[in-house]
Amino acid sequence: MTDLTNSPVSATSQQDIGFLQSLAKRAQNNWRKIVILIPFVWLLFFFLFPFFIVAKISLAELAIASPPFTKLIEWTDTGVVNIRIVFDNFTYILTDNLYSNTYLNSLKISVLSTLICLLFGYPIAYGIVRSGPVMKPLLLFLVILPFWTSFLLRVYAWMGLLADQGTINNLLISVGLIDEPIRMLYTEFAVFVGIVYTYMPFMILPLYANMEKLDTSLNEAAADLGSKPTNTFFKVTLPLTIPGIIAGSLLVFIPATGEYVIPDLLGGGNVQMIGRVLFNEFSRNTDWPVASAVAIVLLFLLVVPIAVFQHYQGKENEGR
Amino acid sequence: MYNKRSRFLTVMVSLGLAFFYIPLLLLVIYSFNHSKLVPVWGGWSTRWYKVLFFESPEVWSAVALSLKIAFVNATFATMLGTLAALAMVRFGRFKGRTLFGGMLVAPLVMPEVITGLSLLVFFISLQELIGWPAERGFTTITIAHITFSMAFVAVTVQARLTGMGQDLEEAAADLGAKPFKVLTAITIPRLTPALVSGWLLAFTLSLDDLVIASFVTGPGANTLPILIFSRIRLGLRPDINALATIIILVVAICVTIAALIMYRQHKRDLLDQQLAERAD
């Protein structure tokens, strides 16, 4: 698949539309390079490069200007180059209790949500894998379907369920279990429910993909040798599904840490998560340097999980 | 015997599905509520659908903008994502492959606030430097969406490329087809199901995105999620329930059709495999 053979070009056409033809020919000969270059350049330009600008702004100072930050490098009239880099934004974030508590709270919420997703997602994925040939694709489809419907509307659905006058409270009151509505919306509980609900498919799907490849003859061999089902599960199945567990957990944990919509809609002002602080710092306070520094610190917190995820994902998609 | 589900697993799967679908079901039921207060039942009515269809022009202009962005995004993201997947799966080693693979996977998990913020400061710096983009809205949102949805397309296409093997390509090459011809005559047509689902995935991701669009949009350019979000921040709204019902219905129909196409292709592949094995 490596040879790039030249196609013969007739003499007459070369004179007429020679340029276009040679261009087409060149495209045909170099198509591999073009195939790589187009998405590569796009990602460099629109994905990687913007991070450097965020890093640059995080080292600037807030200024009353548009855009609202100072320049790092300035050429003054006398020809002197002024370089101004300040780490104030970082020292501010790392020493201010509001920010450090918010980072910790985000991590706490996302770690616990990930564990809850794993605890419930694992048996669901395993149950689907163990279904019959007719039920299996159907169940898988039913798990994927909510993932395609609007994320925002799925969060909104829980606002209706959890509100003081919402479905759950109304139901409990009408049954007579409670007299006063239980406050659920705008609490941390609501944020947990929202994250588990919206991110659960991201846990189930990688687990399913991993479990489907398992060799059931191993379980049969274990049973033949006298192992009880529970023992077989912990000694054979669970260790083999660790790649799925890691992929699913990271797919939940990483985006959940930076989540904005769920803490805003279901947590109200009562649950502080870093994504929400970043968004507000940026849109309401228009403090771009601090917002950028918040983003950089968040990225640092997530850089190891993201690298691990890439490693596993890369293995998964390795060609032949 | 070992392919049977235990009772525990059956219970968990049923509970999981109930957890997934009950909130959506309630959302749909309450869209037919006559009452202005969403959770207070005031009898069946299509009142809020009428409000939505005849008294909410701003909703429909947001729908139009969102669909336009989603369509352009899905088309470009499918092209770029497919090229990226081909490069990753079929081209072996090349310079910068690790960086390329990293940039291709990172958008799958990158928190949206970070992507949104970085793209916005990028667009603003670019505007200062070369005067483009002159204003933020359709173009900037579309570029931002292509950037993250091409990663999802690439994953979908990569899975298909790895799954379908290279036997037919090798056969075509043995019969004298040039690599480029093999790509256009064999590989791309066989990828069609993955391209369709990749396109649909990119389309819905774009329709669904709130955070990134909020960062990179400009005054006056409201996508549907931005409009919905600004309304539901203040509480429940019956007209939003009606809108949600329509969206859920449309998505469910489209996904079902796509899934059926994929399923048929999958069965055909299995049949091909069985026939090939029998021929051996």
Side-chain angles (χ1 to χ4, degrees):
Chain A
M1 286 270 301
T2 43
D3 61 320
L4 299 169
T5 22
N6 290 317
S7 52
V9 179
S10 69
T12 44
S13 63
Q14 240 172 355
Q15 286 156 3
D16 299 336
I17 35 171
F19 174 69
L20 272 180
Q21 274 232 330
S22 73
L23 202 71
K25 205 183 91 183
R26 202 183 275 181
Q28 194 161 347
N29 287 339
N30 292 320
W31 63 276
R32 280 165 157 275
K33 269 185 207 148
I34 295 166
V35 163
I36 298 173
L37 266 181
I38 295 171
F40 205 152
V41 169
W42 180 285
L43 286 171
L44 277 179
F45 201 61
F46 291 117
F47 186 72
L48 194 63
F49 186 57
F51 286 120
F52 289 107
I53 302 179
V54 174
K56 190 195 92 173
I57 295 175
S58 73
L59 297 172
E61 279 177 302
L62 186 63
I64 302 167
S66 172
F69 52 86
T70 55
K71 287 197 167 70
L72 293 193
I73 303 171
E74 224 167 357
W75 277 269
T76 55
D77 298 337
T78 48
V80 180
V81 182
N82 247 336
I83 300 180
R84 246 187 98 70
I85 295 177
V86 290
F87 290 97
D88 292 6
N89 304 312
F90 288 100
T91 41
Y92 172 57
I93 290 170
L94 297 174
T95 51
D96 194 282
N97 276 337
L98 168 74
Y99 289 101
S100 42
N101 286 341
T102 310
Y103 278 114
L104 287 178
N105 204 37
S106 303
L107 287 177
K108 182 194 89 184
I109 291 176
S110 54
V111 165
L112 283 176
S113 309
T114 307
L115 289 177
I116 301 169
C117 279
L118 182 61
L119 204 64
F120 289 96
Y122 195 97
I124 294 173
Y126 202 52
I128 298 174
V129 170
R130 286 291 175 101
S131 303
V134 182
M135 282 303 276
K136 197 151 93 172
L138 182 69
L139 288 173
L140 192 65
F141 172 73
L142 286 174
V143 168
I144 296 174
L145 188 59
F147 160 79
W148 289 79
T149 58
S150 166
F151 163 79
L152 188 58
L153 294 173
R154 275 181 289 152
V155 178
Y156 174 72
W158 279 99
M159 288 173 70
L161 277 158
L162 298 173
D164 287 354
Q165 310 293 317
T167 319
I168 292 176
N169 272 321
N170 284 352
L171 188 75
L172 291 177
I173 291 174
S174 70
V175 171
L177 274 175
I178 51 169
D179 302 321
E180 289 285 300
I182 306 168
R183 186 149 187 81
M184 288 181 287
L185 189 60
Y186 307 134
T187 64
E188 207 163 82
F189 169 73
V191 176
F192 277 117
V193 171
I195 292 179
V196 170
Y197 183 70
T198 46
Y199 284 98
M200 186 67 100
F202 293 93
M203 178 64 84
I204 295 178
L205 293 179
L207 278 172
Y208 172 85
N210 175 255
M211 289 167 176
E212 212 200 5
K213 282 183 267 175
L214 291 185
D215 189 355
T216 43
S217 60
L218 288 176
N219 292 35
E220 280 162 35
D224 289 346
L225 295 169
S227 164
K228 290 206 176 77
T230 342
N231 187 45
T232 310
F233 174 77
F234 284 107
K235 291 267 169 66
V236 179
T237 310
L238 192 61
L240 285 173
T241 51
I242 284 174
I245 294 175
I246 292 174
S249 301
L250 292 173
L251 265 176
V252 176
F253 170 75
I254 301 168
T257 310
E259 185 56 52
Y260 164 71
V261 178
I262 296 170
D264 197 73
L265 288 179
L266 297 178
N270 303 323
V271 183
Q272 287 305 321
M273 283 185 77
I274 203 66
R276 189 166 180 271
V277 169
L278 195 161
F279 195 95
N280 290 342
E281 201 67 67
F282 182 80
S283 60
R284 290 199 203 133
N285 304 346
T286 57
D287 192 338
W288 293 20
V290 168
S292 299
V294 170
I296 296 288
V297 174
L298 177 59
L299 203 56
F300 262 103
L301 285 178
L302 296 177
V303 89
V304 171
I306 291 174
V308 173
F309 177 75
Q310 281 177 346
H311 177 74
Y312 274 88
Q313 194 67 32
K315 261 198 206 161
E316 190 75 14
N317 288 315
E318 203 85 312
R320 295 205 304 171
Chain B
M1 164 178 188
Y2 287 95
N3 234 12
K4 284 248 175 73
R5 269 196 330 238
S6 72
R7 190 174 295 160
F8 168 70
L9 291 179
T10 311
V11 169
M12 288 306 285
V13 171
S14 321
L15 280 179
L17 290 179
F19 178 61
F20 282 149
Y21 284 97
I22 287 173
L24 295 179
L25 192 68
L26 287 167
L27 195 70
V28 171
I29 291 173
Y30 278 101
S31 77
F32 294 103
N33 183 4
H34 187 77
S35 165
K36 206 178 165 83
L37 294 165
V38 172
V40 182
W41 189 253
W44 295 89
S45 140
T46 51
R47 176 183 171 190
W48 301 109
Y49 288 88
K50 285 180 195 131
V51 170
L52 194 66
F53 278 105
F54 302 114
E55 295 160 37
S56 316
E58 70 288 355
V59 169
W60 297 104
S61 63
V63 169
L65 178 66
S66 277
L67 287 176
K68 211 167 79 176
I69 292 171
F71 187 84
V72 178
N73 159 65
T75 308
F76 278 93
T78 305
M79 292 194 288
L80 288 167
T82 307
L83 295 182
L86 280 170
M88 288 303 288
V89 179
R90 290 290 154 89
F91 286 8
R93 305 253 128 227
F94 57 85
K95 231 185 194 172
R97 191 181 188 274
T98 315
L99 174 68
F100 184 58
M103 289 194 299
L104 205 54
V105 173
L108 299 179
V109 284
M110 189 62 66
E112 292 165 317
V113 283
I114 296 181
T115 316
L117 177 77
S118 65
L119 275 165
L120 174 63
V121 295
F122 169 75
F123 284 133
I124 287 173
S125 308
L126 207 62
Q127 187 186 13
E128 263 186 72
L129 218 63
I130 60 169
W132 181 90
E135 54 171 24
R136 291 190 300 280
F138 173 77
T139 314
T140 49
I141 299 174
T142 309
I143 289 174
H145 283 184
I146 293 170
T147 307
F148 76 82
S149 33
M150 70 180 271
F152 286 84
V153 174
V155 170
T156 315
V157 177
Q158 271 175 328
R160 171 87 185 140
L161 270 176
T162 321
M164 73 188 192
Q166 250 170 299
D167 301 352
L168 282 180
E169 275 101 328
E170 276 159 15
D174 287 349
L175 294 171
K178 297 202 180 70
F180 188 74
K181 182 79 184 165
V182 174
L183 180 74
T184 50
I186 313 274
T187 314
I188 301 279
R190 288 191 78 205
L191 277 177
T192 311
L195 297 183
V196 171
S197 57
W199 192 93
L200 282 171
L201 182 58
F203 190 81
T204 24
L205 283 169
S206 168
L207 275 187
D208 210 18
D209 168 63
L210 165 73
V211 176
I212 294 172
S214 302
F215 270 103
V216 300
T217 192
N222 275 346
T223 63
L224 189 61
I226 294 176
L227 181 99
I228 293 175
F229 185 68
S230 68
R231 294 192 173 186
I232 62 178
R233 275 196 90 172
L234 306 169
L236 303 163
R237 290 181 54 124
D239 55 334
I240 298 294
N241 281 55
L243 184 60
T245 304
I246 297 172
I247 293 173
I248 290 169
L249 196 73
V250 171
V251 170
I253 291 170
C254 292
V255 176
T256 309
I257 293 170
L260 285 175
I261 295 171
M262 293 266 292
Y263 186 59
R264 269 176 50 196
Q265 178 72 35
H266 176 68
K267 277 214 306 211
R268 207 176 303 151
D269 278 5
L270 283 181
L271 203 70
D272 283 354
Q273 253 172 36
Q274 279 168 0
L275 286 175
E277 273 160 24
R278 214 169 291 164
D280 287 344

